[in-house]
């Protein structure tokens, strides 16, 4: 039997509902259960692929090629369960499906309405593709009280009724602010938020209260009383030093025990082995050293836009027992100022994924600085493309090297990709295609060249990594670039798409067309990040 846990949020956004859901998933796994995590997003975009990362944070790409909400990244990092297309849905997607069905005449003359047609589509999504999972944790984006969330709340209310309490549970995450001037924790916002939830017919079974500090029994009792929830099910969720502490903190405060009670699971109080998490926390809190990595990008004003990247760098640090300080630098700076001012004291330079011409020359300058000064360089997707342009200009003498992403150019080292092979199928795209969902997305295989750096880092011949790009390094320049010292060390299995480049003459200089950060986990750091941070540690010893 699959049980469903619905997680809603109240009072304010950004409380860390995604992390809370991911941590609950990790605890249930530690109890031996199979879990799947899903997210319902109440905005009208069909997926977040067309949204600016500065507004909505990074786009998390799944193996099966979906562009999803960044919370799916938390889910995957905390549980190790690969997220799928069917784990994230938006209002836009639901309405598109309903309207397409209406146009086909599938509703047989019915008046198509939010209830039941939209809510039915949401319910179908929640239970779709569930096979042997013991638990499906379903997070509802946004904050209770938003107009947009209503159809989702109505759908989960209905589902809760249909499934019954033995198969469903509602958890509400709220904020209990501490008022310094009064010296008090305030429970009123939580009371109001729960009332809001009750007004749409949902009685939470458990309230998870985010707070700067632990919430004493007195306040928890008060919340329980006003919100109609047993005091043991009012769980304090205080701020912690590192996100990897969250599962431990929740367990200590009874989250999984109370959930087990709710579902009448065989064993409620058990000695959970959370050593996987305490080991990580220990490493994060007691590093043996530190390195500083400059991340030269475009969306540096909202760190959520590079969420997985920051996490993967941390994982690289965990693997090397060092703390990784990240210097987020807007690449445009290097277009007017000399890179040396900003990059001379860092132990590694990373240029992440990105789109568009703005700041591109600055990224090229950063790659050049790293190459000339033997600073470890890691180029990811756009960061690889810019590195190839830089080496083409500086090493191969192709002065006009550029990318057609920025308009027509004489030497299109990076050009629009129009066809590529997926499995046995050829995928085709044209320059005038829609922007949404039309990139080369998801997991593709890559063959590594024997004797290369990446071949030894991965210790495998064939790898699979996730992609999200529309442009590619032009294979026709391979020979000229290789003659200039750039090695194409990873290629698509048909040998047509360059996937990895490296510079053997440099201590650590790797550019990858894919996004390795998406698959890194705290307990299983990605080999490229482990190796890159290792090289940064080496570099710090040299200077
Ligand atoms: N803009 C580049 C492309 O579409 C790189 C994309 C990325 O960095 N994810 O190919």
């Amino acid at each position: 039997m699959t049980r469903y846990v619905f997680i809603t949020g109240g009072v304010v956004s950004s409380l860390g509902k995604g992390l809370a859901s991911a941590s609950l998933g990790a605890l249930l796994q530690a109890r031996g259960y199979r879990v799947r995590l899903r997210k319902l997003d109440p905005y009208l975009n069909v997926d977040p692929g067309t949204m600016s990362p500065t507004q909505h944070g990074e786009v998390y790409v799944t193996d099966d090629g979906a562009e999803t909400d960044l919370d799916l990244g938390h889910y995957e990092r905390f549980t190790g369960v690969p997220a799928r297309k069917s784990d994230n849905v938006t209002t836009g997607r639901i309405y598109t499906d309903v309207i397409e069905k209406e146009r086909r005449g599938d509703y047989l003359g019915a008046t198509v309405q939010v209830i039941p047609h939209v809510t039915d589509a949401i319910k179908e999504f929640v239970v779709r593709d569930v096979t042997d999972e013991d638990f499906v944790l379903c997070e509802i984006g946004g904050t209770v009280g938003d107009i947009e969330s209503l159809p989702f709340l109505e759908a989960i209310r209905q589902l809760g009724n249909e499934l019954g309490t033995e198969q469903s549970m509602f958890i509400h995450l709220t904020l209990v602010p501490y008022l310094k001037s009064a010296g008090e924790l305030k429970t009123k916002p939580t009371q109001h938020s729960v009332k809001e939830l009750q007004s749409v017919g949902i009685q939470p079974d458990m309230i998870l209260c985010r707070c700067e500090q632990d919430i004493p029994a007195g306040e928890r009792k008060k919340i329980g009383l006003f919100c109609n929830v047993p005091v043991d099910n009012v769980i304090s969720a205080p701020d912690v030093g590192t996100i990897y502490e969250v599962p431990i903190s929740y367990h200590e405060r009874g989250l999984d025990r109370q959930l087990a009670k709710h579902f009448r699971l065989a064993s409620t109080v058990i000695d959970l082995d959370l050593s996987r998490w305490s080991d990580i926390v220990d490493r994060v809190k007691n590093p043996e050293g530190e390195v500083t990595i400059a991340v030269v990008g475009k969306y540096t004003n909202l760190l959520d836009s590079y969420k997985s990247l920051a996490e993967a760098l941390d994982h690289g640090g965990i693997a090397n027992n060092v703390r990784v300080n990240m210097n987020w630098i807007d690449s445009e700076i290097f277009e007017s100022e000399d890179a040396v001012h900003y990059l001379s004291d860092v132990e590694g330079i990373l240029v992440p994924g990105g789109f568009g011409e703005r700041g591109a020359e600055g990224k090229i300058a950063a790659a050049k600085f790293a190459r000339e000064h033997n600073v470890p360089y890691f180029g990811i997707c756009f960061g690889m493309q810019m590195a190839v342009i830089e080496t083409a200009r500086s090493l191969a003498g192709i002065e006009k090297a550029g990318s057609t992403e920025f308009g027509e150019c004489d030497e299109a080292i990076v050009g629009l990709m129009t066809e590529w092979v997926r499995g046995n199928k050829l995928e085709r795209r044209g320059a005038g295609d829609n922007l949404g969902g039309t990139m080369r997305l998801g997991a593709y295989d890559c063959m590594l060249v024997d004797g290369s750096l990446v071949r030894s880092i991965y210790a495998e011949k064939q790898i699979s990594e996730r992609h999200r790009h529309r442009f590619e390094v032009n294979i026709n320049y391979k020979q000229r670039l290789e003659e200039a010292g750039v090695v194409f060390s990873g290629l698509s299995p048909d040998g047509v798409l360059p996937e990895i480049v490296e510079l053997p003459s440099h201590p650590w200089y790797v550019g990858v067309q894919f996004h390795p950060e998406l698959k890194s986990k705290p307990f299983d750091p990605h080999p490229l990040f482990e190796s890159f941070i290792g090289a940064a540690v080496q570099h710090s010893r040299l200077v």
Side-chain angles (χ1 to χ4, degrees):
M1 177 173 76
T2 304
R3 298 166 181 90
Y4 292 82
V5 181
F6 301 105
I7 300 131
T8 53
V11 184
V12 291
S13 57
S14 306
L15 284 179
K17 230 183 318 148
L19 266 178
S21 309
S23 301
L24 177 58
L27 288 177
L28 289 170
Q29 278 186 326
R31 281 181 172 256
Y33 295 109
R34 281 175 304 257
V35 298
R36 175 152 292 285
L37 285 106
R38 302 203 142 149
K39 173 113 194 253
L40 310 176
D41 272 313
Y43 48 74
L44 276 168
N45 302 62
V46 171
D47 61 42
T50 51
M51 283 155 102
S52 161
T54 52
Q55 277 195 28
H56 193 71
E58 86 173 357
V59 175
Y60 189 77
V61 179
T62 60
D63 276 333
D64 58 0
E67 297 177 285
T68 70
D69 186 80
L70 61 78
D71 277 330
L72 273 77
H74 288 309
Y75 304 162
E76 193 170 322
R77 281 189 288 275
F78 273 58
T79 64
V81 178
R84 300 185 302 213
K85 198 178 229 142
S86 56
D87 292 332
N88 188 202
V89 82
T90 68
T91 301
R93 174 82 268 150
I94 295 281
Y95 272 81
T96 306
D97 292 350
V98 168
I99 289 167
E100 276 173 6
K101 253 174 117 174
E102 186 276 329
R103 292 290 80 186
R104 281 199 305 268
D106 290 359
Y107 291 113
L108 307 174
T111 307
V112 181
Q113 293 176 300
V114 173
I115 305 172
H117 300 101
V118 168
T119 45
D120 277 354
I122 296 170
K123 280 157 54 180
E124 275 160 33
F125 167 80
V126 172
V127 300
R128 193 179 300 152
D129 290 337
V130 174
T131 48
D132 58 353
E133 285 86 355
D134 299 307
F135 284 94
V136 170
L137 311 184
C138 187
E139 178 190 343
I140 291 82
T143 309
V144 166
D146 297 345
I147 291 175
E148 289 96 339
S149 321
L150 284 174
F152 289 105
L153 295 176
E154 170 59 15
I156 62 168
R157 182 195 68 76
Q158 291 178 17
L159 262 178
N161 253 343
E162 289 160 24
L163 295 164
T165 47
E166 64 283 0
Q167 224 189 320
S168 70
M169 180 178 187
F170 293 95
I171 300 182
H172 192 50
L173 183 76
T174 70
L175 174 72
V176 175
Y178 175 73
L179 283 198
K180 241 195 224 136
S181 54
E184 276 178 42
L185 291 171
K186 290 296 181 191
T187 64
K188 193 76 80 191
T190 297
Q191 296 175 35
H192 280 300
S193 167
V194 170
K195 277 216 176 74
E196 194 84 48
L197 200 56
Q198 287 165 339
S199 75
V200 294
I202 296 174
Q203 166 63 48
D205 299 299
M206 183 185 277
I207 306 176
L208 200 51
C209 303
R210 291 280 296 109
C211 189
E212 282 175 39
Q213 58 194 68
D214 233 338
I215 303 173
E219 272 78 7
R220 289 197 294 114
K221 215 166 150 189
K222 193 168 163 190
I223 294 171
L225 193 67
F226 280 99
C227 301
N228 208 18
V229 172
V231 60
D232 287 345
N233 282 9
V234 179
I235 311 268
S236 163
D239 289 350
V240 284
T242 142
I243 56 168
Y244 306 120
E245 223 170 323
V246 178
I248 301 170
S249 164
Y250 284 178
H251 173 65
E252 284 169 352
R253 287 162 184 79
L255 176 68
D256 52 303
R257 179 195 65 220
Q258 291 308 112
L259 181 137
K261 269 195 190 156
H262 173 94
F263 286 114
R264 300 204 164 83
L265 303 179
S267 46
T268 50
V269 186
I270 50 171
D271 210 5
L272 273 199
D273 178 12
L274 296 177
S275 54
R276 171 189 248 195
W277 296 101
S278 45
D279 285 352
I280 294 167
V281 171
D282 195 44
R283 277 165 175 260
V284 171
K285 290 196 167 167
N286 307 299
E288 285 162 10
E290 54 184 316
V291 291
T292 301
I293 303 296
V295 183
V296 182
K298 181 153 99 175
Y299 320 112
T300 47
N301 54 349
L302 176 69
L303 295 188
D304 266 359
S305 33
Y306 297 116
K307 191 75 212 162
S308 297
L309 183 74
E311 295 284 318
L313 283 167
D314 274 340
H315 304 161
I318 291 171
N320 286 282
N321 276 325
V322 292
R323 183 173 63 229
V324 178
N325 305 315
M326 294 162 218
N327 260 1
W328 303 91
I329 305 176
D330 189 330
S331 62
E332 273 185 307
I333 287 177
F334 303 131
E335 290 172 12
S336 50
E337 284 180 55
D338 195 350
V340 74
H341 299 315
Y342 296 88
L343 299 177
S344 56
D345 54 359
V346 300
E347 278 90 34
I349 296 170
L350 191 152
V351 177
F355 294 83
E357 189 168 16
R358 184 166 68 78
E361 286 302 327
K363 294 175 188 179
I364 290 172
K368 186 180 174 77
F369 180 90
R371 185 179 56 74
E372 289 178 339
H373 294 81
N374 283 330
V375 183
Y377 177 81
F378 196 2
I380 294 181
C381 204
F382 199 70
M384 172 231 197
Q385 297 173 356
M386 294 308 105
V388 176
I389 291 175
E390 195 284 310
T391 50
R393 288 180 190 170
S394 305
L395 301 180
I398 309 171
E399 271 167 43
K400 290 189 172 155
S403 167
T404 56
E405 184 169 355
F406 318 141
E408 274 192 28
C409 83
D410 292 340
E411 301 270 11
I413 296 284
V414 178
L416 181 71
M417 186 178 22
T418 50
E419 43 181 57
W420 60 90
V421 177
R422 163 157 247 157
N424 293 323
K425 244 182 81 205
L426 190 65
E427 305 250 346
R428 282 209 174 84
R429 300 281 186 274
D433 282 3
N434 276 348
L435 288 184
T438 55
M439 281 186 261
R440 180 173 179 246
L441 286 168
Y444 285 89
D445 288 342
C446 161
M447 309 301 291
L448 305 180
V449 171
D450 285 336
S452 63
L453 175 63
V454 286
R455 176 75 177 79
S456 70
I457 291 173
Y458 276 97
E460 270 173 301
K461 177 105 187 101
Q462 182 170 351
I463 56 163
S464 168
E465 293 280 5
R466 297 184 192 167
H467 296 69
R468 182 174 186 247
H469 63 126
R470 190 171 278 116
F471 297 84
E472 60 174 324
V473 171
N474 189 339
I475 192 79
N476 297 324
Y477 286 95
K478 181 169 182 275
Q479 200 186 340
R480 277 171 81 186
L481 285 163
E482 291 206 317
E483 279 163 12
V486 182
V487 168
F488 283 52
S489 52
L491 293 166
S492 56
D494 60 6
V496 175
L497 294 177
E499 291 272 7
I500 311 178
V501 294
E502 57 186 72
L503 282 180
S505 58
H506 187 283
W508 207 100
Y509 187 104
V510 176
V512 296
Q513 184 58 77
F514 44 81
H515 290 273
E517 71 273 24
L518 301 176
K519 284 181 40 169
S520 187
K521 320 230 167 17
F523 38 83
D524 185 15
H526 192 286
L528 285 175
F529 282 89
E530 180 173 349
S531 176
F532 174 57
I533 298 300
V537 172
Q538 278 306 109
H539 186 76
S540 70
R541 294 200 179 117
L542 293 177
V543 287

